[in-house]
Amino acid sequence: MAVPLHDCPLPMNIVVKEELKAYIDPLTADEYEALERSILAEGCRDALVLWGDVLVDGHNRYGICQKHDLPFNTVQNTRFQSMDDVHLWMIEQHLGRRSVSDFQRGELALRKREILAERKRIEQEKLQRESDGTADSQDEDQDSPPWDPAPSFSRAELAREAKLSSNQISMIERIRAQAAPEVVEAVKSGQLSISAAAAVASLPEDEQRAAATGGKDELKQAAKRAREANRKPRAAKPDVAVQVEEVSEDEQALRDAEVMHALEQLGEGAPALRARIVSLTRENDALRQQLAALRAQLSA
């Protein structure tokens, strides 16, 4: 969502909403310390983004500047119409940053899809009311919702935006829907991979919590148990009796003669080598016949 940002005078009061502050996963302790060192050395170079007096982007920078009494600049985003607009903007900003983990990317992309799906639902309901002649006064006052038409968001598009595979998106969906909070935290902290967490999420919640309490190794064991439980046993293949068509002595002798003639055309060579080639050719012919018979049995 491309939105204009305008410089604005430093407001007397900046409102920090905990909902927005917590909407994006917080920096790790190391990341926060690195940011603090950078600001102390170079100042707060990037302006804070506001919507009115509400702080939208730059919560960590704002906190550090307040802590050390450092100056900072602000800009106003003039396109926000609702908190959903703010959320979408925050999601797109963080999806464009390299420091965001794969799991965080998946979560952000899924949040975006949920917002757009809700907007699409509202649009469809309004159109249905207009079609039925049941539109209320609020509908008549407002010809269309205060946003651009919400696009459809397929899983493939979702994965592309998050720079993930469709399979990773599916696993993250499962984790969000089924995983215990302790398992989600293990993924976010890097103790557990996305695929392992998706496997653990298929276990009963009590078992998930117990595994998370046991630490990284126990979580991996739980993932292994879950995968083994979900693995479908392979059906035993029936024994295939391979019948090889016998080759007559005359046919084999003719084949040997053809090989010897081909070798003679190449010039003189050691008799032992020629005999070896003849032998290998026979073996090759026999293997070809066995393979053909086996294929015929399997396709029957």
Side-chain angles (χ1 to χ4, degrees):
M1 183 190 300
V3 291
L5 298 175
H6 298 292
D7 292 332
C8 61
L10 192 65
M12 297 298 294
N13 181 46
I14 291 180
V15 176
V16 176
K17 288 186 175 291
E18 290 302 318
E19 173 214 349
L20 291 180
K21 187 175 180 180
Y23 195 71
I24 304 296
D25 288 339
L27 299 178
T28 65
D30 289 343
E31 290 170 338
Y32 186 89
E33 289 175 6
L35 177 62
E36 186 172 29
R37 287 195 301 270
S38 173
I39 290 176
L40 288 173
E42 304 175 15
C44 187
R45 295 178 298 175
D46 298 324
L48 311 182
V49 178
L50 303 177
W51 177 34
D53 57 0
V54 175
L55 180 59
V56 171
D57 186 59
H59 291 85
N60 292 303
R61 284 174 281 138
Y62 177 64
I64 292 169
C65 289
Q66 290 288 90
K67 176 182 175 182
H68 298 284
D69 197 23
L70 298 174
F72 56 87
N73 296 317
T74 62
V75 291
Q76 278 285 343
N77 188 310
T78 60
R79 286 281 299 277
F80 294 149
Q81 298 292 324
S82 68
M83 191 58 71
D84 277 349
D85 287 342
V86 174
H87 290 159
L88 287 171
W89 186 85
M90 292 175 72
I91 287 169
E92 292 184 0
Q93 292 298 303
H94 282 78
L95 282 176
R97 294 176 181 172
R98 289 178 292 180
S99 60
V100 181
S101 71
D102 286 347
F103 183 75
Q104 288 174 317
R105 287 182 184 282
E107 274 202 312
L108 291 170
L110 288 168
R111 288 179 188 175
K112 178 175 181 178
R113 185 178 68 177
E114 290 164 359
I115 293 171
L116 295 179
E118 178 62 15
R119 289 188 167 188
K120 179 68 74 174
R121 185 190 66 78
I122 293 172
E123 291 171 5
Q124 295 300 318
E125 285 186 354
K126 183 177 183 299
L127 290 173
Q128 187 63 49
R129 289 195 300 271
E130 291 174 351
S131 176
D132 296 341
T134 58
D136 55 27
S137 58
Q138 184 177 357
D139 290 330
E140 294 173 358
D141 292 339
Q142 187 173 322
D143 294 334
S144 60
W147 57 73
D148 295 333
S152 298
F153 213 39
S154 70
R155 177 169 292 170
E157 291 168 328
L158 192 74
R160 186 163 52 251
E161 180 148 353
K163 298 181 177 64
L164 301 172
S165 68
S166 294
N167 187 45
Q168 285 175 305
I169 290 293
S170 296
M171 289 189 290
I172 294 170
E173 281 184 292
R174 190 185 314 157
I175 293 166
R176 293 181 79 210
Q178 300 173 223
E182 294 85 349
V183 175
V184 175
E185 188 56 39
V187 184
K188 290 182 176 180
S189 66
Q191 284 187 302
L192 201 60
S193 68
I194 292 173
S195 61
V200 174
S202 67
L203 298 172
E205 187 168 339
D206 289 347
E207 191 172 346
Q208 294 184 44
R209 292 179 185 276
T213 302
K216 183 177 181 179
D217 291 339
E218 183 56 36
L219 280 167
K220 288 183 177 180
Q221 288 300 315
K224 183 178 179 181
R225 291 196 302 272
R227 286 171 176 146
E228 289 173 351
N230 292 329
R231 188 176 293 123
K232 295 180 179 178
R234 293 184 179 180
K237 293 183 179 180
D239 293 335
V240 179
V242 180
Q243 296 180 349
V244 181
E245 184 179 350
E246 293 291 335
V247 180
S248 68
E249 291 185 5
D250 290 343
E251 289 175 329
Q252 189 62 66
L254 180 61
R255 176 66 170 151
D256 291 350
E258 289 175 350
V259 174
M260 292 296 292
H261 177 70
L263 290 171
E264 287 172 359
Q265 296 292 3
L266 295 175
E268 294 296 327
L273 177 59
R274 293 188 179 188
R276 177 63 175 157
I277 292 174
V278 169
S279 175
L280 290 174
T281 303
R282 283 191 175 192
E283 292 180 14
N284 188 50
D285 289 343
L287 289 172
R288 286 177 181 273
Q289 292 170 8
Q290 290 178 7
L291 182 59
L294 189 59
R295 285 175 174 166
Q297 290 283 349
L298 291 174
S299 62

